[in-house]
Amino acid sequence: MSRGHRVVPHTAGIALEAWADGREECLAEAARALVETFADVGDAVPDHCDTIALAEETDEELLITLLDEVVREVERSGRVAVDVSIDERTGATEGQVEMRLATVPLETVGRAGASPAPISREGLRFGREAGMWHAHVVIGL
């Protein structure tokens, strides 16, 4: 399986790019890229986990909601995600996605930059291209 992410300069701030064989893995890679813009989590071992059920209309909305949740976790509880996993739900909750954020206190990891600004919908892309899932998101600075 091939997956990864990177952060690149953009005229409005920075752009997160993520890719993976599957949709859930690509979402997780995008969240990891976002965290890298403001925290150096290194080998931090999580001491807490939050589970959130998401049911968005489109893949793009799901991506935005996921990234917003990562930002809200920092703002709400002062905790940063060091591991992210996404699972498609089935049965009675079919159509929802379960997101798990394994976190540590922000003060226990290195700071790589300022806390992230709002996620822009301009230039947002998330979908399958050439047999892989790709995400592109712009973050203002």
PDB file of all heavy atoms in Angstrom, residues 1-34:
ATOM      1  N   MET A   1       0.842  -1.168   0.000  1.00  0.00           N
ATOM      2  CA  MET A   1       0.000   0.000   0.000  1.00  0.00           C
ATOM      3  C   MET A   1       0.891   1.235   0.000  1.00  0.00           C
ATOM      4  O   MET A   1       1.841   1.333   0.752  1.00  0.00           O
ATOM      5  CB  MET A   1      -0.891   0.002   1.244  1.00  0.00           C
ATOM      6  CG  MET A   1      -1.737   1.244   1.294  1.00  0.00           C
ATOM      7  SD  MET A   1      -2.533   1.601   2.866  1.00  0.00           S
ATOM      8  CE  MET A   1      -3.742   0.352   2.984  1.00  0.00           C
ATOM      9  N   SER A   2       0.581   2.189  -0.834  1.00  0.00           N
ATOM     10  CA  SER A   2       1.344   3.435  -0.847  1.00  0.00           C
ATOM     11  C   SER A   2       0.474   4.550  -0.285  1.00  0.00           C
ATOM     12  O   SER A   2      -0.695   4.672  -0.618  1.00  0.00           O
ATOM     13  CB  SER A   2       1.808   3.767  -2.261  1.00  0.00           C
ATOM     14  OG  SER A   2       0.717   3.883  -3.130  1.00  0.00           O
ATOM     15  N   ARG A   3       1.081   5.321   0.600  1.00  0.00           N
ATOM     16  CA  ARG A   3       0.386   6.442   1.215  1.00  0.00           C
ATOM     17  C   ARG A   3       1.416   7.453   1.665  1.00  0.00           C
ATOM     18  O   ARG A   3       2.576   7.126   1.883  1.00  0.00           O
ATOM     19  CB  ARG A   3      -0.468   5.970   2.380  1.00  0.00           C
ATOM     20  CG  ARG A   3       0.347   5.337   3.488  1.00  0.00           C
ATOM     21  CD  ARG A   3      -0.463   4.639   4.547  1.00  0.00           C
ATOM     22  NE  ARG A   3      -1.301   5.517   5.307  1.00  0.00           N
ATOM     23  CZ  ARG A   3      -2.129   5.099   6.253  1.00  0.00           C
ATOM     24  NH1 ARG A   3      -2.228   3.831   6.537  1.00  0.00           N
ATOM     25  NH2 ARG A   3      -2.856   5.946   6.911  1.00  0.00           N
ATOM     26  N   GLY A   4       0.977   8.685   1.804  1.00  0.00           N
ATOM     27  CA  GLY A   4       1.878   9.714   2.265  1.00  0.00           C
ATOM     28  C   GLY A   4       1.217  11.077   2.249  1.00  0.00           C
ATOM     29  O   GLY A   4       0.045  11.217   1.921  1.00  0.00           O
ATOM     30  N   HIS A   5       1.984  12.077   2.585  1.00  0.00           N
ATOM     31  CA  HIS A   5       1.495  13.454   2.585  1.00  0.00           C
ATOM     32  C   HIS A   5       2.683  14.407   2.540  1.00  0.00           C
ATOM     33  O   HIS A   5       3.816  14.012   2.786  1.00  0.00           O
ATOM     34  CB  HIS A   5       0.642  13.734   3.832  1.00  0.00           C
ATOM     35  CG  HIS A   5       1.397  13.595   5.110  1.00  0.00           C
ATOM     36  ND1 HIS A   5       1.418  12.427   5.819  1.00  0.00           N
ATOM     37  CD2 HIS A   5       2.181  14.455   5.805  1.00  0.00           C
ATOM     38  CE1 HIS A   5       2.162  12.581   6.899  1.00  0.00           C
ATOM     39  NE2 HIS A   5       2.648  13.812   6.907  1.00  0.00           N
ATOM     40  N   ARG A   6       2.381  15.637   2.200  1.00  0.00           N
ATOM     41  CA  ARG A   6       3.385  16.686   2.231  1.00  0.00           C
ATOM     42  C   ARG A   6       2.689  18.027   2.391  1.00  0.00           C
ATOM     43  O   ARG A   6       1.494  18.165   2.132  1.00  0.00           O
ATOM     44  CB  ARG A   6       4.257  16.669   0.977  1.00  0.00           C
ATOM     45  CG  ARG A   6       3.525  17.006  -0.298  1.00  0.00           C
ATOM     46  CD  ARG A   6       4.434  16.905  -1.493  1.00  0.00           C
ATOM     47  NE  ARG A   6       3.705  17.263  -2.707  1.00  0.00           N
ATOM     48  CZ  ARG A   6       4.265  17.675  -3.796  1.00  0.00           C
ATOM     49  NH1 ARG A   6       5.584  17.777  -3.855  1.00  0.00           N
ATOM     50  NH2 ARG A   6       3.552  17.979  -4.845  1.00  0.00           N
ATOM     51  N   VAL A   7       3.457  19.003   2.823  1.00  0.00           N
ATOM     52  CA  VAL A   7       2.978  20.366   2.975  1.00  0.00           C
ATOM     53  C   VAL A   7       3.805  21.224   2.034  1.00  0.00           C
ATOM     54  O   VAL A   7       5.037  21.149   2.036  1.00  0.00           O
ATOM     55  CB  VAL A   7       3.139  20.844   4.440  1.00  0.00           C
ATOM     56  CG1 VAL A   7       2.691  22.283   4.586  1.00  0.00           C
ATOM     57  CG2 VAL A   7       2.370  19.923   5.382  1.00  0.00           C
ATOM     58  N   VAL A   8       3.137  22.022   1.202  1.00  0.00           N
ATOM     59  CA  VAL A   8       3.837  22.842   0.212  1.00  0.00           C
ATOM     60  C   VAL A   8       3.380  24.297   0.316  1.00  0.00           C
ATOM     61  O   VAL A   8       2.260  24.570   0.743  1.00  0.00           O
ATOM     62  CB  VAL A   8       3.606  22.303  -1.227  1.00  0.00           C
ATOM     63  CG1 VAL A   8       4.199  20.910  -1.392  1.00  0.00           C
ATOM     64  CG2 VAL A   8       2.141  22.281  -1.587  1.00  0.00           C
ATOM     65  N   PRO A   9       4.245  25.233  -0.056  1.00  0.00           N
ATOM     66  CA  PRO A   9       3.852  26.646  -0.039  1.00  0.00           C
ATOM     67  C   PRO A   9       2.701  26.907  -1.010  1.00  0.00           C
ATOM     68  O   PRO A   9       2.563  26.244  -2.039  1.00  0.00           O
ATOM     69  CB  PRO A   9       5.110  27.380  -0.514  1.00  0.00           C
ATOM     70  CG  PRO A   9       6.228  26.407  -0.395  1.00  0.00           C
ATOM     71  CD  PRO A   9       5.627  25.047  -0.503  1.00  0.00           C
ATOM     72  N   HIS A  10       1.876  27.871  -0.657  1.00  0.00           N
ATOM     73  CA  HIS A  10       0.755  28.292  -1.497  1.00  0.00           C
ATOM     74  C   HIS A  10       0.629  29.801  -1.345  1.00  0.00           C
ATOM     75  O   HIS A  10       0.978  30.351  -0.303  1.00  0.00           O
ATOM     76  CB  HIS A  10      -0.532  27.581  -1.037  1.00  0.00           C
ATOM     77  CG  HIS A  10      -1.697  27.826  -1.917  1.00  0.00           C
ATOM     78  ND1 HIS A  10      -2.502  28.936  -1.801  1.00  0.00           N
ATOM     79  CD2 HIS A  10      -2.199  27.085  -2.923  1.00  0.00           C
ATOM     80  CE1 HIS A  10      -3.452  28.880  -2.709  1.00  0.00           C
ATOM     81  NE2 HIS A  10      -3.298  27.764  -3.409  1.00  0.00           N
ATOM     82  N   THR A  11       0.124  30.475  -2.352  1.00  0.00           N
ATOM     83  CA  THR A  11       0.019  31.937  -2.292  1.00  0.00           C
ATOM     84  C   THR A  11      -0.861  32.416  -1.138  1.00  0.00           C
ATOM     85  O   THR A  11      -0.655  33.505  -0.620  1.00  0.00           O
ATOM     86  CB  THR A  11      -0.528  32.507  -3.622  1.00  0.00           C
ATOM     87  OG1 THR A  11      -1.782  31.875  -3.899  1.00  0.00           O
ATOM     88  CG2 THR A  11       0.436  32.286  -4.753  1.00  0.00           C
ATOM     89  N   ALA A  12      -1.833  31.603  -0.713  1.00  0.00           N
ATOM     90  CA  ALA A  12      -2.717  31.976   0.395  1.00  0.00           C
ATOM     91  C   ALA A  12      -2.228  31.456   1.738  1.00  0.00           C
ATOM     92  O   ALA A  12      -2.873  31.651   2.753  1.00  0.00           O
ATOM     93  CB  ALA A  12      -4.129  31.463   0.121  1.00  0.00           C
ATOM     94  N   GLY A  13      -1.110  30.738   1.766  1.00  0.00           N
ATOM     95  CA  GLY A  13      -0.593  30.168   3.011  1.00  0.00           C
ATOM     96  C   GLY A  13       0.196  28.908   2.706  1.00  0.00           C
ATOM     97  O   GLY A  13       1.305  28.966   2.205  1.00  0.00           O
ATOM     98  N   ILE A  14      -0.406  27.759   3.001  1.00  0.00           N
ATOM     99  CA  ILE A  14       0.206  26.474   2.679  1.00  0.00           C
ATOM    100  C   ILE A  14      -0.862  25.541   2.122  1.00  0.00           C
ATOM    101  O   ILE A  14      -2.053  25.746   2.333  1.00  0.00           O
ATOM    102  CB  ILE A  14       0.862  25.816   3.925  1.00  0.00           C
ATOM    103  CG1 ILE A  14      -0.152  25.674   5.042  1.00  0.00           C
ATOM    104  CG2 ILE A  14       2.083  26.579   4.363  1.00  0.00           C
ATOM    105  CD1 ILE A  14       0.347  24.870   6.218  1.00  0.00           C
ATOM    106  N   ALA A  15      -0.420  24.532   1.415  1.00  0.00           N
ATOM    107  CA  ALA A  15      -1.334  23.517   0.896  1.00  0.00           C
ATOM    108  C   ALA A  15      -0.922  22.164   1.449  1.00  0.00           C
ATOM    109  O   ALA A  15       0.265  21.829   1.492  1.00  0.00           O
ATOM    110  CB  ALA A  15      -1.311  23.500  -0.631  1.00  0.00           C
ATOM    111  N   LEU A  16      -1.898  21.406   1.885  1.00  0.00           N
ATOM    112  CA  LEU A  16      -1.683  20.036   2.321  1.00  0.00           C
ATOM    113  C   LEU A  16      -2.021  19.123   1.161  1.00  0.00           C
ATOM    114  O   LEU A  16      -3.057  19.283   0.524  1.00  0.00           O
ATOM    115  CB  LEU A  16      -2.605  19.675   3.487  1.00  0.00           C
ATOM    116  CG  LEU A  16      -2.687  20.611   4.673  1.00  0.00           C
ATOM    117  CD1 LEU A  16      -3.704  20.095   5.668  1.00  0.00           C
ATOM    118  CD2 LEU A  16      -1.340  20.766   5.314  1.00  0.00           C
ATOM    119  N   GLU A  17      -1.158  18.187   0.893  1.00  0.00           N
ATOM    120  CA  GLU A  17      -1.431  17.182  -0.120  1.00  0.00           C
ATOM    121  C   GLU A  17      -1.289  15.817   0.528  1.00  0.00           C
ATOM    122  O   GLU A  17      -0.348  15.577   1.288  1.00  0.00           O
ATOM    123  CB  GLU A  17      -0.461  17.319  -1.295  1.00  0.00           C
ATOM    124  CG  GLU A  17      -0.615  18.638  -2.019  1.00  0.00           C
ATOM    125  CD  GLU A  17       0.386  18.809  -3.150  1.00  0.00           C
ATOM    126  OE1 GLU A  17       1.294  17.957  -3.291  1.00  0.00           O
ATOM    127  OE2 GLU A  17       0.267  19.805  -3.866  1.00  0.00           O
ATOM    128  N   ALA A  18      -2.241  14.933   0.268  1.00  0.00           N
ATOM    129  CA  ALA A  18      -2.209  13.586   0.829  1.00  0.00           C
ATOM    130  C   ALA A  18      -2.625  12.604  -0.244  1.00  0.00           C
ATOM    131  O   ALA A  18      -3.374  12.949  -1.160  1.00  0.00           O
ATOM    132  CB  ALA A  18      -3.133  13.483   2.034  1.00  0.00           C
ATOM    133  N   TRP A  19      -2.129  11.362  -0.123  1.00  0.00           N
ATOM    134  CA  TRP A  19      -2.493  10.324  -1.078  1.00  0.00           C
ATOM    135  C   TRP A  19      -2.452   8.967  -0.395  1.00  0.00           C
ATOM    136  O   TRP A  19      -1.717   8.764   0.570  1.00  0.00           O
ATOM    137  CB  TRP A  19      -1.564  10.350  -2.289  1.00  0.00           C
ATOM    138  CG  TRP A  19      -0.118  10.190  -1.917  1.00  0.00           C
ATOM    139  CD1 TRP A  19       0.579   9.023  -1.824  1.00  0.00           C
ATOM    140  CD2 TRP A  19       0.798  11.226  -1.556  1.00  0.00           C
ATOM    141  NE1 TRP A  19       1.882   9.266  -1.438  1.00  0.00           N
ATOM    142  CE2 TRP A  19       2.037  10.612  -1.256  1.00  0.00           C
ATOM    143  CE3 TRP A  19       0.690  12.605  -1.439  1.00  0.00           C
ATOM    144  CZ2 TRP A  19       3.152  11.340  -0.865  1.00  0.00           C
ATOM    145  CZ3 TRP A  19       1.812  13.318  -1.040  1.00  0.00           C
ATOM    146  CH2 TRP A  19       3.020  12.691  -0.766  1.00  0.00           C
ATOM    147  N   ALA A  20      -3.287   8.062  -0.872  1.00  0.00           N
ATOM    148  CA  ALA A  20      -3.320   6.691  -0.347  1.00  0.00           C
ATOM    149  C   ALA A  20      -4.170   5.839  -1.276  1.00  0.00           C
ATOM    150  O   ALA A  20      -4.925   6.353  -2.105  1.00  0.00           O
ATOM    151  CB  ALA A  20      -3.882   6.659   1.064  1.00  0.00           C
ATOM    152  N   ASP A  21      -4.044   4.542  -1.104  1.00  0.00           N
ATOM    153  CA  ASP A  21      -4.841   3.615  -1.913  1.00  0.00           C
ATOM    154  C   ASP A  21      -6.323   3.708  -1.585  1.00  0.00           C
ATOM    155  O   ASP A  21      -7.167   3.560  -2.459  1.00  0.00           O
ATOM    156  CB  ASP A  21      -4.364   2.172  -1.708  1.00  0.00           C
ATOM    157  CG  ASP A  21      -2.970   1.942  -2.273  1.00  0.00           C
ATOM    158  OD1 ASP A  21      -2.595   2.633  -3.242  1.00  0.00           O
ATOM    159  OD2 ASP A  21      -2.265   1.070  -1.751  1.00  0.00           O
ATOM    160  N   GLY A  22      -6.658   3.951  -0.318  1.00  0.00           N
ATOM    161  CA  GLY A  22      -8.053   4.003   0.115  1.00  0.00           C
ATOM    162  C   GLY A  22      -8.453   5.359   0.636  1.00  0.00           C
ATOM    163  O   GLY A  22      -7.609   6.162   1.069  1.00  0.00           O
ATOM    164  N   ARG A  23      -9.762   5.620   0.637  1.00  0.00           N
ATOM    165  CA  ARG A  23     -10.301   6.899   1.082  1.00  0.00           C
ATOM    166  C   ARG A  23      -9.960   7.173   2.554  1.00  0.00           C
ATOM    167  O   ARG A  23      -9.497   8.263   2.901  1.00  0.00           O
ATOM    168  CB  ARG A  23     -11.808   6.926   0.885  1.00  0.00           C
ATOM    169  CG  ARG A  23     -12.442   8.231   1.310  1.00  0.00           C
ATOM    170  CD  ARG A  23     -13.914   8.235   1.022  1.00  0.00           C
ATOM    171  NE  ARG A  23     -14.610   7.542   2.092  1.00  0.00           N
ATOM    172  CZ  ARG A  23     -15.805   7.894   2.556  1.00  0.00           C
ATOM    173  NH1 ARG A  23     -16.447   8.905   2.011  1.00  0.00           N
ATOM    174  NH2 ARG A  23     -16.370   7.226   3.526  1.00  0.00           N
ATOM    175  N   GLU A  24     -10.182   6.181   3.426  1.00  0.00           N
ATOM    176  CA  GLU A  24      -9.948   6.379   4.851  1.00  0.00           C
ATOM    177  C   GLU A  24      -8.477   6.666   5.142  1.00  0.00           C
ATOM    178  O   GLU A  24      -8.157   7.518   5.974  1.00  0.00           O
ATOM    179  CB  GLU A  24     -10.430   5.159   5.646  1.00  0.00           C
ATOM    180  CG  GLU A  24     -11.938   5.000   5.650  1.00  0.00           C
ATOM    181  CD  GLU A  24     -12.507   4.412   4.359  1.00  0.00           C
ATOM    182  OE1 GLU A  24     -11.736   3.825   3.572  1.00  0.00           O
ATOM    183  OE2 GLU A  24     -13.715   4.564   4.131  1.00  0.00           O
ATOM    184  N   GLU A  25      -7.580   5.959   4.451  1.00  0.00           N
ATOM    185  CA  GLU A  25      -6.150   6.203   4.657  1.00  0.00           C
ATOM    186  C   GLU A  25      -5.750   7.589   4.181  1.00  0.00           C
ATOM    187  O   GLU A  25      -4.916   8.252   4.787  1.00  0.00           O
ATOM    188  CB  GLU A  25      -5.310   5.139   3.949  1.00  0.00           C
ATOM    189  CG  GLU A  25      -5.461   3.748   4.523  1.00  0.00           C
ATOM    190  CD  GLU A  25      -6.661   2.995   3.950  1.00  0.00           C
ATOM    191  OE1 GLU A  25      -7.311   3.493   2.994  1.00  0.00           O
ATOM    192  OE2 GLU A  25      -6.970   1.916   4.471  1.00  0.00           O
ATOM    193  N   CYS A  26      -6.356   8.050   3.090  1.00  0.00           N
ATOM    194  CA  CYS A  26      -6.049   9.386   2.572  1.00  0.00           C
ATOM    195  C   CYS A  26      -6.540  10.457   3.548  1.00  0.00           C
ATOM    196  O   CYS A  26      -5.847  11.451   3.789  1.00  0.00           O
ATOM    197  CB  CYS A  26      -6.664   9.569   1.187  1.00  0.00           C
ATOM    198  SG  CYS A  26      -6.110  11.066   0.346  1.00  0.00           S
ATOM    199  N   LEU A  27      -7.712  10.261   4.128  1.00  0.00           N
ATOM    200  CA  LEU A  27      -8.211  11.196   5.140  1.00  0.00           C
ATOM    201  C   LEU A  27      -7.244  11.276   6.318  1.00  0.00           C
ATOM    202  O   LEU A  27      -6.920  12.370   6.795  1.00  0.00           O
ATOM    203  CB  LEU A  27      -9.592  10.752   5.627  1.00  0.00           C
ATOM    204  CG  LEU A  27     -10.755  10.963   4.665  1.00  0.00           C
ATOM    205  CD1 LEU A  27     -11.967  10.150   5.107  1.00  0.00           C
ATOM    206  CD2 LEU A  27     -11.094  12.435   4.536  1.00  0.00           C
ATOM    207  N   ALA A  28      -6.784  10.128   6.791  1.00  0.00           N
ATOM    208  CA  ALA A  28      -5.850  10.097   7.922  1.00  0.00           C
ATOM    209  C   ALA A  28      -4.539  10.799   7.569  1.00  0.00           C
ATOM    210  O   ALA A  28      -3.978  11.535   8.385  1.00  0.00           O
ATOM    211  CB  ALA A  28      -5.603   8.661   8.365  1.00  0.00           C
ATOM    212  N   GLU A  29      -4.051  10.597   6.353  1.00  0.00           N
ATOM    213  CA  GLU A  29      -2.813  11.262   5.929  1.00  0.00           C
ATOM    214  C   GLU A  29      -3.000  12.773   5.879  1.00  0.00           C
ATOM    215  O   GLU A  29      -2.094  13.532   6.250  1.00  0.00           O
ATOM    216  CB  GLU A  29      -2.358  10.736   4.564  1.00  0.00           C
ATOM    217  CG  GLU A  29      -1.767   9.355   4.602  1.00  0.00           C
ATOM    218  CD  GLU A  29      -0.468   9.258   5.383  1.00  0.00           C
ATOM    219  OE1 GLU A  29       0.309  10.240   5.419  1.00  0.00           O
ATOM    220  OE2 GLU A  29      -0.238   8.195   5.974  1.00  0.00           O
ATOM    221  N   ALA A  30      -4.154  13.242   5.430  1.00  0.00           N
ATOM    222  CA  ALA A  30      -4.416  14.685   5.392  1.00  0.00           C
ATOM    223  C   ALA A  30      -4.407  15.260   6.808  1.00  0.00           C
ATOM    224  O   ALA A  30      -3.862  16.342   7.045  1.00  0.00           O
ATOM    225  CB  ALA A  30      -5.745  14.967   4.703  1.00  0.00           C
ATOM    226  N   ALA A  31      -4.986  14.536   7.764  1.00  0.00           N
ATOM    227  CA  ALA A  31      -4.987  14.993   9.159  1.00  0.00           C
ATOM    228  C   ALA A  31      -3.560  15.043   9.706  1.00  0.00           C
ATOM    229  O   ALA A  31      -3.184  15.995  10.396  1.00  0.00           O
ATOM    230  CB  ALA A  31      -5.860  14.077  10.009  1.00  0.00           C
ATOM    231  N   ARG A  32      -2.748  14.047   9.386  1.00  0.00           N
ATOM    232  CA  ARG A  32      -1.350  14.041   9.840  1.00  0.00           C
ATOM    233  C   ARG A  32      -0.582  15.231   9.246  1.00  0.00           C
ATOM    234  O   ARG A  32       0.237  15.853   9.922  1.00  0.00           O
ATOM    235  CB  ARG A  32      -0.681  12.733   9.454  1.00  0.00           C
ATOM    236  CG  ARG A  32      -1.155  11.557  10.278  1.00  0.00           C
ATOM    237  CD  ARG A  32      -0.446  10.263   9.889  1.00  0.00           C
ATOM    238  NE  ARG A  32      -1.101   9.140  10.524  1.00  0.00           N
ATOM    239  CZ  ARG A  32      -1.905   8.287   9.909  1.00  0.00           C
ATOM    240  NH1 ARG A  32      -2.138   8.383   8.620  1.00  0.00           N
ATOM    241  NH2 ARG A  32      -2.472   7.301  10.587  1.00  0.00           N
ATOM    242  N   ALA A  33      -0.849  15.530   7.981  1.00  0.00           N
ATOM    243  CA  ALA A  33      -0.191  16.680   7.346  1.00  0.00           C
ATOM    244  C   ALA A  33      -0.569  17.970   8.060  1.00  0.00           C
ATOM    245  O   ALA A  33       0.288  18.828   8.306  1.00  0.00           O
ATOM    246  CB  ALA A  33      -0.569  16.751   5.864  1.00  0.00           C
ATOM    247  N   LEU A  34      -1.840  18.119   8.412  1.00  0.00           N
ATOM    248  CA  LEU A  34      -2.284  19.316   9.128  1.00  0.00           C
ATOM    249  C   LEU A  34      -1.552  19.452  10.461  1.00  0.00           C
ATOM    250  O   LEU A  34      -1.045  20.526  10.798  1.00  0.00           O
ATOM    251  CB  LEU A  34      -3.794  19.267   9.354  1.00  0.00           C
ATOM    252  CG  LEU A  34      -4.373  20.395  10.214  1.00  0.00           C
ATOM    253  CD1 LEU A  34      -4.105  21.757   9.580  1.00  0.00           C
ATOM    254  CD2 LEU A  34      -5.852  20.167  10.444  1.00  0.00           C
TER     255      LEU A  34
END
